[in-house]
C-alpha cells in the first residue's frame, strides 16, 4: 500500500491565482518531505522541502505547509504562472535514512493563461 | 557538466529478453538510485547504492539486478524481462542531503 498519497490526479488554475496541491502520508516515521516538479520527457527536479520540526517553509512563490497531526502537507504556488504547468510529486523520507524516498503518484497542474 | 545521463531513451523488448539500462553521473556523488514510474503509482525505488561496491534493495527490487563498480556508473539489469516491467525508469544521484537529489531524463521501456 502506498505510504504517500496524492489524491488529486489533476488541477486546473487560472494564471495569477493560487494553486494548492495536497499530499497525505501514513508512515509516522516520515519526518522529511520534498516536492518535485516534472516536465514531460524530463526527470523530476527538486522544488522545496520541509522538515517535521517546522510547519511552514517558503521559497519565493512556493510555500509548503506541514500538518503532522493530520499527516498532511500542501504546496501553495502564488501567483501561478503558465510555466508552472507540470506534474508535481510529493516525497517523504526519514531523517535517519535519506537513502530511501517514497513518492506520491503526482498531481498534474495546468495553469491557464 | 552533463549531470545524470541515461541510455537508451527508449527500448522495446520481448518477454524473456535481457538488457541493461545505463546510468552515469559526473558530479562525484556517492549515492545513486533507480526508480520506476508507473501510472497512478508515482516513483518507486528499485535499488540504491551509497558508494562503489555497496548496493541495497528499495521498495520493488524483484526482477532487477544492480552493481556499482565505479562512483560514476550504476547500471540496472533485467535478466528476463516481463510485461510487468514495462515502465519509465529514472536514475538519480545525490551528494549527501536529501535536497540534492538529481534525476536523469528517464528510459521508457516496453516489454511485449
Amino acid at each position: 500500500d502506498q505510504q504517500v498519497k496524492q489524491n488529486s490526479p489533476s488541477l486546473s488554475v487560472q494564471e495569477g491565482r493560487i494553486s494548492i496541491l495536497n499530499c497525505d502520508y501514513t508512515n509516522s516515521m516520515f519526518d522529511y518531505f520534498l516536492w518535485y516538479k516534472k516536465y514531460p520527457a524530463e526527470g523530476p527536479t527538486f522544488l522545496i522541502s520541509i522538515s517535521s520540526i517546522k510547519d511552514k517553509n517558503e521559497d519565493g512563490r512556493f510555500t509548503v505547509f506541514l500538518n503532522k497531526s493530520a499527516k498532511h502537507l500542501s504546496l501553495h504556488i502564488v501567483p501561478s504562472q503558465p510555466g508552472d504547468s507540470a506534474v508535481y510529486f510529493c516525497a517523504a523520507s526519514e531523517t535517519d535514512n535519506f537513502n530511501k524516498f517514497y513518492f506520491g503518484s503526482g498531481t498534474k497542474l495546468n495553469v491557464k493563461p | 557538466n552533463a549531470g545524470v545521463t541515461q541510455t537508451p531513451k527508449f527500448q522495446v523488448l520481448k518477454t524473456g529478453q535481457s538488457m541493461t539500462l545505463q546510468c552515469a553521473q559526473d558530479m562525484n556523488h556517492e549515492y545513486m538510485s533507480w526508480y520506476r514510474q508507473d501510472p497512478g503509482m508515482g516513483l518507486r525505488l528499485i535499488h540504491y547504492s551509497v558508494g562503489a561496491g555497496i548496493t541495497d534493495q528499495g521498495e520493488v527490487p524483484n526482477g532487477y539486478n544492480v552493481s556499482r563498480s565505479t562512483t560514476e556508473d550504476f547500471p540496472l539489469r533485467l535478466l528476463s524481462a516481463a510485461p510487468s516491467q514495462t515502465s519509465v525508469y529514472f536514475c538519480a544521484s545525490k551528494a549527501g542531503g536529501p535536497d540534492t537529489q538529481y534525476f536523469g531524463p528517464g528510459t521508457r521501456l516496453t516489454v511485449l
Side-chain angles (χ1 to χ4, degrees):
Chain A
D1 196 23
Q2 279 192 282
Q3 299 184 63
V4 178
K5 297 179 183 179
Q6 293 176 256
N7 293 319
S8 298
S10 63
L11 175 67
S12 188
V13 168
Q14 204 67 37
E15 180 179 5
R17 306 293 290 268
I18 185 172
S19 296
I20 300 176
L21 294 88
N22 294 304
C23 177
D24 298 292
Y25 62 97
T26 58
N27 189 339
S28 57
M29 298 298 290
F30 290 152
D31 55 7
Y32 200 90
F33 305 90
L34 310 94
W35 285 93
Y36 285 84
K37 179 178 181 179
K38 184 184 177 307
Y39 292 116
E42 294 183 10
T45 54
F46 170 75
L47 188 59
I48 192 170
S49 63
I50 188 167
S51 164
S52 62
I53 61 172
K54 293 181 161 184
D55 54 18
K56 176 181 172 182
N57 189 29
E58 279 183 88
D59 184 1
R61 297 185 296 113
F62 302 90
T63 303
V64 56
F65 295 92
L66 175 62
N67 182 334
K68 291 183 287 291
S69 61
K71 294 193 178 70
H72 176 84
L73 60 156
S74 60
L75 175 69
H76 292 211
I77 306 173
V78 185
S80 301
Q81 299 173 354
D84 296 329
S85 297
V87 177
Y88 290 79
F89 290 99
C90 169
S93 184
E94 298 177 35
T95 305
D96 288 343
N97 185 6
F98 282 137
N99 293 329
K100 290 188 174 184
F101 296 86
Y102 297 84
F103 283 76
S105 53
T107 296
K108 185 174 184 179
L109 174 65
N110 179 33
V111 181
K112 296 177 286 187
Chain B
N1 197 341
V4 180
T5 57
Q6 291 184 239
T7 55
K9 283 190 166 48
F10 301 95
Q11 183 70 48
V12 179
L13 291 178
K14 293 182 179 177
T15 298
Q17 286 185 315
S18 63
M19 81 157 297
T20 299
L21 280 64
Q22 301 292 345
C23 174
Q25 51 92 9
D26 60 1
M27 297 173 282
N28 203 32
H29 288 170
E30 290 296 325
Y31 176 93
M32 295 185 74
S33 58
W34 277 101
Y35 290 85
R36 60 177 288 173
Q37 182 193 3
D38 301 295
M41 298 294 292
L43 283 80
R44 291 181 291 170
L45 183 64
I46 304 171
H47 286 287
Y48 66 94
S49 167
V50 298
I54 307 169
T55 63
D56 206 346
Q57 296 181 350
E59 272 185 278
V60 287
N62 292 341
Y64 306 96
N65 283 349
V66 292
S67 60
R68 184 98 179 269
S69 55
T70 67
T71 300
E72 295 77 22
D73 301 296
F74 190 42
L76 179 72
R77 295 184 189 85
L78 286 71
L79 296 179
S80 179
S84 60
Q85 294 177 304
T86 293
S87 188
V88 181
Y89 291 84
F90 290 99
C91 179
S93 72
K94 69 179 175 76
D99 297 359
T100 63
Q101 182 156 233
Y102 296 93
F103 283 83
T107 294
R108 183 174 291 274
L109 176 68
T110 301
V111 183
L112 303 175

